[in-house]
Amino acid sequence: MNRNSKRREALLYHAKPVPGKIQVVPTKKYATQRDLSLAYSPGVAEPCLEIAKDVNNVYKYTAKGNLVAVITNGTAVLGLGDIGPEASKPVMEGKALLFKIFADIDVFDIEIGTKDIDAFIETVKNIAPTFGGINLEDIKAPESFEIERRLVEELNIPVMHDDQHGTAIISSAALLNALELAGKKIEDIKIVVSGAGSAALACANLYVLLGVSLENIIMFDKDGVLSADRTDLSPLQQKYNKARKDLKLGEALQGADVFLGLSAGNILTPEMLLGMAPNPIVFAMANPVPEIDYNVAIDTRKDIIMATGRSDHPNQVNNVLGFPYIFRGALDVRATKINEAMKMAAVKALAALAKESVPEQVNIAYGETKLIFGREYIIPKPFDPRLITMVAPAVAKAAMESGVALHPITDWEKYEEELMERLGSDNKMVRLLTNRAKTDPKRVVFAEADHLDVLKAAQIVWEEGIGHPILLGNREVILELKEELGFDADVPIYDPKTKEEDGRRLHYAEIFWKARQRRGISLLDAQKWMRERNYFAAMMVNEGEADALVTGFSRSYPSVVKPMMQLIGKAPGISLIATTNMMMTNRGPMFLSDTAINPNPTSDDLAKIALMTAKTARMFGMEPVIAMVSFSNFGSSLDPSAGKVREAVAYLHKYYPDLVVDGEIQADFALNPDMLKAKFPFSKLAGKKVNTLIFPNLESANITYKMLKELYKVDSVGPIMLGMEKPVHIFQLGASVEEMVNMAAVAVVDAQEKHKRLKNLDIKF
């Protein structure tokens, strides 16, 4: 993407459909006058009086306990420097978004218009009663150290400057595991630090607490080594001014065990790296350009253990591994501060998690056969769903043990369940999906690329590295639209109706005719149909000139399905094609089937649909828990519609006893675990969280998923085709750009799976 296009996209993202990235959403009913009288006057007086009696009741009756302030004065924003409080607001809103999606913590971002330390601290202290915790952000050093120190001392809620401590905590976990792999003792290692800002100092300080000898740390800033003769050092920097004044970085690295970079790109040369001790540990965390290129480093030293701040290399030191879960644990025990014990608990929890068996969902997300503790996996991945249940409880326990918890947790099993429930409130599955697609992008035909929105989707797929688009449609229109969008990538364009494609079109027609000549298809028919983009696109996939196709934006679903069935057909061993939609609900991803193909499936069909949907759920790293829904509960109706669902379940119980599936069951019982357990404790679904619904007919499935989309703004990925021999996926008429991008990612993942020979499903009918 050229800079102007990227700039425009970023500005549009922040401006539309409403400005900004966060909003306030009511958590109580407000439909009636009674609701409003309880929410405000006169009902609101009662909780006010209770809080006046005991200030701790504020946690019982208000949102304070789950509310964090992200506060800055805009003096050290990202890589932008001192840009002021207003200009820093988009970054603070972004941090608020991360708090919400990773740990379900609500945030108000606060931008303070002063550089005066005392005025800043006084402002924060005055607003602190509103919040359960304070996250300081993007405040320049050395002022940030003094601000944090005083606020920690003077407030009775958790305060943390994430720029300092986040990187320190994550890199400390990485260091512990890297030392174990390198066979080195922490008290013996020599560390060279490039950078002497807030993050570098926080890292060094935490390393010392872990056991690194202060005398074994040599620190550099842009002016050279921190030495005793320097008069420009802050008191915190003076702690590390042990080296001689003429020491150079290359000299310091001779025999060093660890290089910690929080400075500038490409300052660590291969020659310097070669001078380090055996099994060198290199944390090159400058962004976007590390202190040494990852590939250069591993080519230079085969024994290196390396981490960076980038997501496209192993061992990303990403603060999102820490701050959401540290605050989560602190808030949940009403900690009065985030102390060293809590930080150390987070370090050890992260280090331990990297040694545990990785869930298949995480392996799938990162395109790995099996992530395993080793040189390329020393810290957990940001998409690991176990982070919240490992780090938050560790921090909460440390707060309790160190005496700063005002509301200790007693039932840890229940607490872990509550944490898992918080994971259902965002669209992690979409991020997992696109991340997995990026691990091995495939060639995707966009069969209607002369429509602006389709071309926009193709552009995003290209620029995000999700896939390699192939554009079908009117060439002149596509070129005009590409120019309008700033889509300057040189991607293939085909127009099936032009003379330029005569040879390919006739070749495709000949193949199609030979395959279908005994089924009423003439050569002339085949030649005519190959002028149609969906036939042409399907043949491209059939002939291996593309890996997958997406289509359907401008035409009805049945008219698009027909050529796919004629040319591509079912996978071996499959007798039924169906579709499923992955709905991003507030309880987590839900698969709904069949939403687009089979109007009135038989009991046999329903069993097949359930099995294919289960296979798809596993493809996305989810273990299916399937409810076969109806208007009836376990034989309460003898209606044939309920009966066929019952028969399908009986078949599945007999032949697939390990599959967690049950029914027929009404949707409310299926989705409400308490109701289900109380009324139907015998069900295989009792005590489990249903994530897959199989509907008795097309109309119920289709109506349900579209109502969820429109009434509750639930994001949908689909309809995902089930049972096709090749990766073919069809948009709903008028799909949004986002939906088309997601479907393209599905097509890429599907192509990856089929490329691995997983098209031969182990389900035989």
Side-chain angles (χ1 to χ4, degrees):
M1 179 186 289
N2 61 48
R3 187 180 183 281
N4 286 337
S5 179
K6 192 71 175 177
R7 177 177 179 275
R8 179 174 179 271
E9 182 184 17
L11 293 176
L12 282 173
Y13 173 86
H14 284 82
K16 304 291 183 180
V18 294
K21 297 189 286 282
I22 57 175
Q23 65 178 349
V24 176
V25 178
T27 60
K28 297 291 190 293
K29 295 184 293 182
Y30 51 88
T32 67
Q33 181 60 39
R34 179 175 180 274
D35 294 335
L36 296 179
S37 68
L38 290 170
Y40 198 55
S41 183
V44 73
E46 299 305 326
C48 292
L49 292 171
E50 291 300 307
I51 296 167
K53 292 177 188 175
D54 180 355
V55 72
N56 288 316
N57 282 333
V58 70
Y59 290 95
K60 183 176 182 180
Y61 296 114
T62 77
K64 177 183 172 83
N66 196 49
L67 186 61
V68 165
V70 172
I71 303 182
T72 190
N73 60 3
T75 53
V77 178
L78 292 173
L80 304 176
D82 185 353
I83 60 174
E86 290 87 358
S88 73
K89 186 172 175 61
V91 181
M92 300 309 110
E93 288 187 356
K95 192 67 176 277
L97 185 147
L98 295 178
F99 265 109
K100 186 64 178 178
I101 67 175
F102 282 101
D104 193 28
I105 293 172
D106 296 318
V107 166
F108 289 159
D109 62 292
I110 308 290
E111 292 74 36
I112 298 177
T114 183
K115 296 181 182 179
D116 181 85
I117 290 178
D118 291 328
F120 186 98
I121 291 171
E122 196 62 26
T123 301
V124 176
K125 287 173 62 179
N126 285 335
I127 64 173
T130 303
F131 301 100
I134 305 283
N135 181 97
L136 300 172
E137 193 82 11
D138 292 353
I139 305 166
K140 77 180 183 71
E143 291 90 333
S144 59
F145 299 115
E146 179 67 6
I147 288 170
E148 185 193 40
R149 183 189 67 78
R150 285 178 53 185
L151 287 173
V152 168
E153 289 178 358
E154 297 174 30
L155 291 177
N156 66 344
I157 58 174
V159 177
M160 188 173 84
H161 187 201
D162 183 50
D163 298 332
Q164 297 176 50
H165 302 296
T167 302
I169 289 164
I170 312 310
S171 68
S172 291
L175 179 64
L176 289 178
N177 284 341
L179 290 173
E180 181 178 329
L181 292 167
K184 299 183 179 185
K185 295 182 179 179
I186 195 165
E187 61 268 22
D188 298 332
I189 61 171
K190 175 184 173 184
I191 298 180
V192 176
V193 182
S194 177
S198 58
L201 288 167
C203 287
N205 291 341
L206 196 52
Y207 295 174
V208 170
L209 287 176
L210 284 170
V212 175
S213 170
L214 179 63
E215 301 300 321
N216 287 343
I217 298 176
I218 300 174
M219 188 174 290
F220 291 78
D221 66 6
K222 60 183 176 59
D223 297 317
V225 70
L226 303 196
S227 58
D229 67 316
R230 294 270 298 265
T231 60
D232 59 336
L233 302 182
S234 71
L236 290 171
Q237 290 172 325
Q238 289 172 13
K239 180 179 177 180
Y240 297 99
N241 66 355
K242 311 299 181 188
R244 72 175 199 267
K245 64 181 179 180
D246 60 341
L247 186 68
K248 304 299 182 186
L249 182 61
E251 293 178 78
L253 282 165
Q254 287 293 320
D257 299 286
V258 179
F259 171 83
L260 170 66
L262 286 156
S263 52
N266 296 321
I267 64 165
L268 177 64
T269 67
E271 291 73 25
M272 293 176 184
L273 181 56
L274 286 169
M276 293 181 69
N279 293 307
I281 298 166
V282 174
F283 295 167
M285 295 186 287
N287 256 327
V289 181
E291 283 80 1
I292 185 170
D293 178 78
Y294 177 82
N295 293 318
V296 170
I298 61 174
D299 287 342
T300 302
R301 291 288 298 260
K302 302 301 181 186
D303 59 342
I304 193 172
I305 302 173
M306 187 169 179
T308 71
R310 294 176 59 105
S311 61
D312 53 351
H313 299 308
N315 301 323
Q316 183 194 15
V317 177
N318 188 333
N319 282 18
V320 82
L321 293 170
F323 71 83
Y325 314 113
I326 293 167
F327 271 95
R328 180 76 273 157
L331 292 174
D332 291 339
V333 293
R334 295 186 199 165
T336 57
K337 61 181 62 182
I338 294 173
N339 58 26
E340 299 305 320
M342 295 160 73
K343 296 172 195 171
M344 199 62 69
V347 169
K348 292 178 179 178
L350 287 167
L353 182 57
K355 298 177 186 178
E356 295 193 0
S357 297
V358 176
E360 187 60 17
Q361 178 180 350
V362 180
N363 286 320
I364 287 172
Y366 289 92
E368 298 284 350
T369 303
K370 186 174 179 62
L371 282 167
I372 189 168
F373 178 61
R375 290 172 183 263
E376 294 189 349
Y377 181 62
I378 58 174
I379 42 177
K381 297 289 189 180
F383 291 149
D384 195 322
R386 301 169 299 170
L387 283 163
I388 195 169
T389 55
M390 287 286 287
V391 180
V395 170
K397 287 176 183 176
M400 291 164 55
E401 291 167 1
S402 60
V404 298
L406 299 179
H407 184 69
I409 293 169
T410 55
D411 188 338
W412 291 99
E413 186 175 337
K414 181 181 178 182
Y415 178 53
E416 185 171 331
E417 290 175 1
E418 291 171 353
L419 292 173
M420 288 301 294
E421 283 297 315
R422 291 185 182 277
L423 285 177
S425 62
D426 74 24
N427 290 353
K428 286 186 178 67
M429 188 59 72
V430 172
R431 300 198 300 277
L432 291 168
L433 171 66
T434 54
N435 196 70
R436 182 182 176 189
K438 291 177 185 180
T439 63
D440 184 17
K442 300 295 184 183
R443 300 166 298 169
V444 181
V445 180
F446 286 78
E448 301 158 295
D450 46 9
H451 290 267
L452 180 63
D453 282 356
V454 177
L455 190 60
K456 279 183 184 177
Q459 181 181 15
I460 293 169
V461 166
W462 169 262
E463 291 169 348
E464 294 299 314
I466 294 168
H468 304 296
I470 298 171
L471 309 178
L472 258 61
N474 186 297
R475 178 182 292 272
E476 291 184 5
V477 172
I478 291 173
L479 291 173
E480 288 177 8
L481 292 176
K482 281 189 70 186
E483 185 173 357
E484 179 183 335
L485 292 173
F487 185 10
D488 53 10
D490 184 16
V491 297
I493 301 174
Y494 297 96
D495 186 345
K497 296 184 178 181
T498 60
K499 285 189 175 182
E500 287 81 2
E501 300 304 329
D502 279 352
R504 181 180 273 105
R505 189 171 61 246
L506 292 172
H507 174 63
Y508 288 168
E510 181 80 14
I511 295 170
F512 180 47
W513 172 63
K514 287 181 178 178
R516 306 280 296 191
Q517 59 188 348
R518 293 181 180 275
R519 299 187 185 180
I521 303 297
S522 69
L523 180 58
L524 188 62
D525 288 335
Q527 291 171 346
K528 180 182 68 174
W529 285 340
M530 287 306 143
R531 296 175 65 84
E532 300 297 325
R533 60 186 69 194
N534 286 325
Y535 283 89
F536 191 92
M539 285 303 299
M540 290 189 77
V541 175
N542 262 348
E543 294 304 299
E545 295 175 13
D547 301 305
L549 78 86
V550 288
T551 185
F553 173 79
S554 64
R555 301 187 182 188
S556 68
Y557 205 92
S559 68
V560 180
V561 167
K562 182 180 177 182
M564 304 307 148
M565 295 300 299
Q566 285 181 313
L567 274 73
I568 291 176
K570 307 177 189 72
I574 296 296
S575 61
L576 179 79
I577 299 297
T579 60
T580 189
N581 279 66
M582 185 164 58
M583 310 298 293
M584 304 306 170
T585 75
N586 60 8
R587 56 181 278 135
M590 292 280 300
F591 288 90
L592 276 57
S593 303
D594 168 20
T595 52
I597 300 289
N598 299 285
N600 189 24
T602 65
S603 61
D604 189 44
D605 294 338
L606 288 174
K608 295 172 184 178
I609 292 167
L611 290 167
M612 290 192 294
T613 306
K615 197 78 174 180
T616 300
R618 293 190 183 104
M619 186 175 82
F620 289 105
M622 292 175 59
E623 190 56 35
V625 179
I626 306 172
M628 307 283 281
V629 293
S630 174
F631 64 88
S632 170
N633 282 315
F634 299 107
S636 63
S637 172
L638 298 179
D639 186 90
S641 177
K644 70 176 182 180
V645 178
R646 199 155 52 243
E647 290 171 15
V649 171
Y651 173 86
L652 293 169
H653 282 180
K654 181 176 180 180
Y655 293 104
Y656 297 88
D658 294 333
L659 185 66
V660 181
V661 58
D662 216 341
E664 83 281 18
I665 187 171
Q666 293 173 359
D668 53 349
F669 281 100
L671 299 175
N672 189 318
D674 294 334
M675 284 174 56
L676 177 62
K677 192 172 182 179
K679 188 70 174 176
F680 306 111
F682 57 83
S683 172
K684 292 181 74 170
L685 304 178
K688 295 181 171 60
K689 185 177 178 180
V690 169
N691 57 27
T692 304
L693 301 177
I694 309 298
F695 289 83
N697 52 46
L698 175 60
E699 62 183 343
S700 58
N702 190 273
I703 290 168
T704 299
Y705 104 78
K706 291 189 174 181
M707 285 183 66
L708 287 172
K709 275 182 60 181
E710 297 305 319
L711 290 179
Y712 302 106
K713 304 304 177 186
V714 174
D715 289 336
S716 169
V717 179
I720 300 169
M721 296 287 286
L722 308 177
M724 295 292 289
E725 184 174 8
K726 300 286 177 69
V728 172
H729 294 282
I730 301 170
F731 310 133
Q732 282 290 330
L733 185 66
S736 70
V737 172
E738 182 182 14
E739 288 171 331
M740 288 187 280
V741 171
N742 291 341
M743 284 299 290
V746 167
V748 170
V749 171
D750 193 7
Q752 291 170 352
E753 290 291 300
K754 288 179 165 63
H755 185 69
K756 295 176 191 175
R757 310 307 299 167
L758 292 183
K759 66 179 181 180
N760 295 317
L761 301 179
D762 57 6
I763 303 167
K764 305 297 181 185
F765 301 110

